[in-house]
Amino acid sequence: MAFAHSETPEHVRTTIGAVLRRRREAVERSLLDVAGPAGISPAYLSEVERGRKEISVDRLLKVCGALETTIGDVYLEVARELGAGEPLNAVAWEADPRIQLRRMMRSLDVETLRTVAHFTNFLSMNDGAGKRRQIGFMR
């Protein structure tokens, strides 16, 4: 079976590092805040986040613990970034829009949720407030 271009060791290592960095920044923690409880140096964690160093499963578990996430969530995010499709037994959309919204929100990081909230607020404040102007040659 031929591997995709994205399945090079360098790309996988870089993707794992990028996921860890995004998760660390999402919870607003410094390299020192995460590296200390994980039992590694901040310099090593920085190298991992930049895709320059490999990280063992043992250390990755400790980093995930320091980030208060699971290794499964990290691997799932890495798989999505590398282009893995949805599993065959994926759950269909719920009929209730509130459940759909909760499910979608779980997949977004904090900064993206903040952007969506600002945009939603902007839309609600400007809904129908502006004077509509006719376009084209009809007046």
Side-chain angles (χ1 to χ4, degrees):
M1 177 170 133
F3 292 107
H5 175 69
S6 65
E7 293 178 336
T8 63
E10 296 81 17
H11 191 173
V12 173
R13 191 172 44 246
T14 302
T15 304
I16 290 171
V19 167
L20 290 175
R21 174 175 282 174
R22 269 197 315 271
R23 286 182 171 264
R24 179 179 58 78
E25 290 173 347
V27 294
E28 298 176 348
R29 313 247 342 252
S30 70
L31 286 167
L32 189 60
D33 293 338
V34 175
I40 58 177
S41 72
Y44 175 74
L45 181 56
S46 175
E47 293 285 313
V48 169
E49 287 183 351
R50 288 182 282 154
R52 295 183 178 173
K53 296 275 186 180
E54 298 278 345
I55 186 166
S56 69
V57 174
D58 293 336
R59 287 182 176 167
L60 183 57
L61 281 167
K62 290 177 182 177
V63 169
C64 289
L67 291 172
E68 298 176 2
T69 189
T70 65
I71 195 167
D73 287 340
V74 170
Y75 280 149
L76 184 59
E77 192 172 339
V78 169
R80 285 187 182 133
E81 292 226 1
L82 293 175
E86 289 295 321
L88 294 177
N89 60 353
V91 178
W93 280 104
E94 299 287 338
D96 186 356
R98 292 173 295 192
I99 295 174
Q100 290 178 18
L101 182 60
R102 275 190 224 112
R103 184 173 290 163
M104 287 185 289
M105 285 175 49
R106 278 190 226 125
S107 67
L108 300 176
D109 61 24
V110 173
E111 193 57 38
T112 304
L113 283 172
R114 188 173 291 125
T115 302
V116 169
H118 288 298
F119 185 66
T120 303
N121 190 29
F122 168 79
L123 289 177
S124 67
M125 290 174 53
N126 293 317
D127 189 22
K131 180 181 173 186
R132 297 186 186 255
R133 147 180 97 106
Q134 292 182 344
I135 59 171
F137 55 87
M138 299 179 73
R139 294 187 189 246

